[in-house]
């Protein structure tokens, strides 16, 4: 990957200089997985310039041409799913089976974006209103140009593809900065796309550390799509503000699970424990806190502990889930467990001893006070907190009290829709979990500290376009209000019509 990245048409000045680089690692063993160049601002700007030149040709391909390329890419990825899944597993430490599931869902999003871009971006006709009935009013959708995508390490193919595929389908070229923990996956995406692309620089991957991502933010791209922590998102937004570059921010969460007395407890427990523990708890939409009706809380906890006993962390091929991909997260997880206990919570299963770097075994905590850092801050580890509530009203209020508002899960046979409608978050799954991430036709994103803007669905396509209003005179009329030749009687006529129609001209 390091060799193939140094393409002479992209980086002509690097051949005679020592290239600064960094290593990616297998988090399960600590072994070096690969070496990648650290791109500086000058090199990033040069690559963005190539992408801007390519954007003209990419737009000229039209919807049919872009659809053909994207569907070919999705077919290629599926054919090589073993290869890319192995690479995802190597750089993240997750089981190969989980990596394959991630790839499969990503491919579904590529296909959906390719097939629906034309109809969603179709010119819309709007009513011009009574006073301007001689006009034709339309709204066109145009691609922005070049979109910068900054991806995370926890789902290094599914998450960035949720921006990349939609931006490409809308007619933009893309410059992708993968996480420094998963650069190999990012390079694989570029190289596989280039096998089906009609020309170069439609999808380009840049590698590096935080400074490289910062350079992309100020490089003059037309939009940045960022996925990561809220803290980093604020830095990205501030950097983009200096160049008036709009952003889509998909940040963290402290996702609640609400379990009513009429819930199917076996299914609720199975889904909740998977949501909390899968991918080592490293999911922004993973369950972190459960509010369960006190009438069924004992049974829910009992089933949760029974299930947790069957799960263990380990290297791919050994554990149900893998290590913490980012070593520094271990300290956060350890701190939250200790803080929860110190603040009055108790351990139903596991505890501080469950943290054995680079792995964290499942932990179930009970009755943690709402003002504890363990309840307020994102843990991003295989930890779940179960708290009892007297009513669903209490559960809803506690769920909404968080500074985050990404996703939520509701378990109830009869109250699911009512509860979901009152939750202050971007996505809710009723009697399921993670489902809103897999359905390509619905938007994905949050509110509050979980970010703004949307990926996926029609909203995800429109994020990478801008509206152009076109109003055209179809035929001339005697009444011309937009002229210095306007007469008083014409002004009076407008006032009379306004009073008569009470302002309803449309």
């Amino acid at each position: 990957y390091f060799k193939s990245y140094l393409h002479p048409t992209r980086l002509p000045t690097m051949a005679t200089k020592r290239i600064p680089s960094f290593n990616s690692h297998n988090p399960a063993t600590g072994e070096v997985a690969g070496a990648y160049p650290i791109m500086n601002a000058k090199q990033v700007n040069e690559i963005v310039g190539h992408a801007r030149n390519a954007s003209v040709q990419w737009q000229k391909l039209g919807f049919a041409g872009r659809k053909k390329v994207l569907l070919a890419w999705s077919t290629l990825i599926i054919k090589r799913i073993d290869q890319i899944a192995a690479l995802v597993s190597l750089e993240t430490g997750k089981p190969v089976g989980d990596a394959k599931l991630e790839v499969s869902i990503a491919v579904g999003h590529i296909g959906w974006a390719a097939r629906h871009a034309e109809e969603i971006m179709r010119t819309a006709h709007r009513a011009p209103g009574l006073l301007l009935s001689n006009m034709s009013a339309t709204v066109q959708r145009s691609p922005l140009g070049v979109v910068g995508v900054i991806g995370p390490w926890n789902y290094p193919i599914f998450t960035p593809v949720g921006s990349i595929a939609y931006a490409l389908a809308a007619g933009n070229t893309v410059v992708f900065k993968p996480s420094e923990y998963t650069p190999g996956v990012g390079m694989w995406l570029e190289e596989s796309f280039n096998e089906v692309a009609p020309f170069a620089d439609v999808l380009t991957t840049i590698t590096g550390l935080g400074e490289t991502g910062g350079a992309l933010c100020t490089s003059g791209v037309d939009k940045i799509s960022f996925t990561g922590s809220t803290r980093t998102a604020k830095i990205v937004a501030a950097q983009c503000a200096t160049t008036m570059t709009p952003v889509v921010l998909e940040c963290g969460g402290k996702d609640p699970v609400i379990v009513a007395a009429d819930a199917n407890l076996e299914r609720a427990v199975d889904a909740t424990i998977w949501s909390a523990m899968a991918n080592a708890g490293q999911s922004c939409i993973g369950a972190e806190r459960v509010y369960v009706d006190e009438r069924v809380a004992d049974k829910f906890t009992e089933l949760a502990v029974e299930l947790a006993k069957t799960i263990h962390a380990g290297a791919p091929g050994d554990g149900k889930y893998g290590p913490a991909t980012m070593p520094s997260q271990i300290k956060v997880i350890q701190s939250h467990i200790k803080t929860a206990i110190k603040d009055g919570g108790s351990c139903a299963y596991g505890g501080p001893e469950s943290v054995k770097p680079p792995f964290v075994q499942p932990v179930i905590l009970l009755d943690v006070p709402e003002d504890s850092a363990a309840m307020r801050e994102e843990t991003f580890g295989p930890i779940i907190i179960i708290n009892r509530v007297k009513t669903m009203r209490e559960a809803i209020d506690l769920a909404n009290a968080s500074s985050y508002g990404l996703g939520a899960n509701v378990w109830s046979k009869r109250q699911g829709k009512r509860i979901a409608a009152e939750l202050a978050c971007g996505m809710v799954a009723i009697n399921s979990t993670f489902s809103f991430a897999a359905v390509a036709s619905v938007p994905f994103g949050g509110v509050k500290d979980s970010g703004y803007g949307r990926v996926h669905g029609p909203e995800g396509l429109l994020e990478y376009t801008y509206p152009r209003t076109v109003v055209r005179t179809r035929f001339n009329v005697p009444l011309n209000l937009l002229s210095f030749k306007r007469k008083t009687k014409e002004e009076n006529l407008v006032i009379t019509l306004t009073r008569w129609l009470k302002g309803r001209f449309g």
Side-chain angles (χ1 to χ4, degrees):
Y1 286 119
F2 186 84
K3 181 179 179 181
S4 64
Y5 190 77
L6 303 181
H7 195 288
T9 61
R10 265 195 249 149
L11 301 174
T13 61
M14 295 180 67
T16 59
K17 297 181 180 179
R18 182 180 179 277
I19 305 166
S21 64
F22 69 102
N23 294 331
S24 68
H25 296 83
N26 178 341
T29 64
E31 296 176 349
V32 174
Y36 301 87
I38 299 174
M39 310 302 297
N40 61 33
K42 180 180 178 181
Q43 294 153 357
V44 171
N45 290 341
E46 186 176 347
I47 289 170
V48 170
H50 287 299
R52 190 163 301 285
N53 291 336
S55 69
V56 177
Q57 294 175 272
W58 184 243
Q59 291 179 33
K60 286 182 178 179
L61 272 185
F63 291 106
R66 293 192 293 270
K67 176 181 175 181
K68 183 178 180 180
V69 173
L70 288 168
L71 292 181
W73 188 35
S74 68
T75 299
L76 180 63
I77 292 173
I78 278 295
K79 285 183 178 178
R80 298 181 185 171
I81 190 170
D82 290 340
Q83 182 188 76
I84 181 55
L87 182 55
V88 169
S89 177
L90 174 67
E91 291 195 319
T92 65
K94 68 177 65 177
V96 172
D98 286 359
K100 287 184 176 181
L101 179 61
E102 177 185 344
V103 174
S104 298
I105 298 174
V107 165
H109 278 281
I110 296 172
W112 193 92
R115 292 186 178 96
H116 291 85
E118 184 171 9
E119 65 180 273
I120 290 165
M121 291 176 62
R122 185 177 290 124
T123 297
H125 293 266
R126 307 288 174 85
L130 181 61
L131 284 179
L132 295 173
S133 58
N134 64 316
M135 296 290 184
S136 165
T138 59
V139 178
Q140 303 169 345
R141 283 282 174 174
S142 293
L144 296 169
V146 182
V147 172
V149 176
I150 301 176
W153 46 263
N154 56 335
Y155 292 98
I157 181 168
F158 163 73
T159 301
V161 160
S163 294
I164 292 170
Y166 290 78
L168 290 174
N172 304 280
T173 53
V174 174
V175 177
F176 173 41
K177 161 65 174 67
S179 165
E180 56 266 37
Y181 293 97
T182 54
V185 177
M187 288 304 310
W188 191 96
L189 286 174
E190 178 196 348
E191 293 182 355
S192 62
F193 183 84
N194 280 340
E195 290 189 42
V196 299
F199 42 82
D201 302 314
V202 177
L203 170 60
T204 312
T205 295
I206 57 174
T207 58
L209 308 179
E211 293 79 6
T212 303
L216 183 61
C217 291
T218 57
S219 65
V221 293
D222 299 291
K223 195 162 197 173
I224 287 286
S225 184
F226 168 85
T227 303
S229 70
T230 300
R231 180 184 63 81
T232 306
K234 292 178 179 179
I235 297 173
V236 168
Q239 289 176 318
C240 288
T242 63
T243 53
M244 291 290 285
T245 302
V247 294
V248 177
L249 302 177
E250 199 275 282
C251 310
K254 192 71 177 177
D255 285 14
V257 178
I258 295 178
V259 183
D262 66 341
N264 182 322
L265 294 184
E266 287 76 14
R267 287 190 61 208
V269 167
D270 181 54
T272 300
I273 293 299
W274 183 87
S275 175
M277 310 294 174
N279 202 32
Q282 300 168 135
S283 303
C284 57
I285 54 172
E288 294 218 7
R289 50 197 177 114
V290 181
Y291 298 109
V292 56
D293 190 299
E294 62 183 5
R295 290 171 289 179
V296 295
D298 288 341
K299 184 63 175 176
F300 183 93
T301 303
E302 177 188 335
L303 292 172
V305 171
E306 287 179 7
L307 182 55
K309 288 178 179 179
T310 69
I311 300 168
H312 73 281
D318 176 31
K320 293 285 187 180
Y321 61 83
T325 304
M326 188 168 68
S328 61
Q329 196 64 27
I330 290 284
K331 293 181 180 179
V332 175
I333 296 169
Q334 200 166 37
S335 170
H336 282 191
I337 297 171
K338 292 180 178 179
T339 298
I341 297 170
K342 178 184 176 182
D343 291 341
S346 61
C347 297
Y349 184 74
E353 70 281 1
S354 300
V355 181
K356 300 173 181 177
F359 303 101
V360 179
Q361 302 302 330
V363 176
I364 299 176
L365 298 165
L366 304 176
D367 305 319
V368 179
E370 291 295 321
D371 60 354
S372 173
M375 286 294 286
R376 292 184 291 103
E377 300 171 6
E378 185 177 37
T379 303
F380 226 55
I383 316 297
I384 191 70
I385 298 173
I386 302 173
N387 282 355
R388 300 164 178 258
V389 293
K390 290 182 171 59
T391 65
M392 289 296 96
R393 177 74 264 159
E394 180 185 1
I396 292 168
D397 291 343
L398 291 174
N400 289 341
S402 173
S403 63
Y404 292 102
L406 191 54
N409 299 280
V410 178
W411 292 90
S412 175
K413 294 174 182 176
R414 294 179 295 274
Q415 306 176 67
K417 290 183 179 180
R418 178 185 65 81
I419 294 170
E422 295 191 55
L423 294 176
C425 60
M427 304 163 290
V428 184
I430 301 174
N431 296 329
S432 69
T433 188
F434 275 46
S435 50
F436 42 70
V439 179
S441 60
V442 297
F444 184 105
V447 295
K448 299 189 282 188
D449 281 355
S450 291
Y452 48 80
R454 293 294 183 268
V455 296
H456 305 173
E459 292 83 356
L461 277 164
L462 295 179
E463 279 285 356
Y464 305 109
T465 70
Y466 67 90
R468 181 191 298 108
T469 296
V470 178
V471 176
R472 176 178 58 86
T473 301
R474 295 188 297 131
F475 55 88
N476 294 321
V477 294
L479 186 64
N480 187 3
L481 301 175
L482 306 180
S483 170
F484 287 114
K485 298 177 181 180
R486 183 180 64 226
K487 296 179 174 58
T488 302
K489 65 179 182 179
E490 293 175 326
E491 296 173 353
N492 292 337
L493 176 60
V494 172
I495 295 170
T496 300
L497 287 172
T498 303
R499 287 172 177 165
W500 180 50
L501 296 173
K502 298 181 180 178
R504 295 192 292 268
F505 294 120

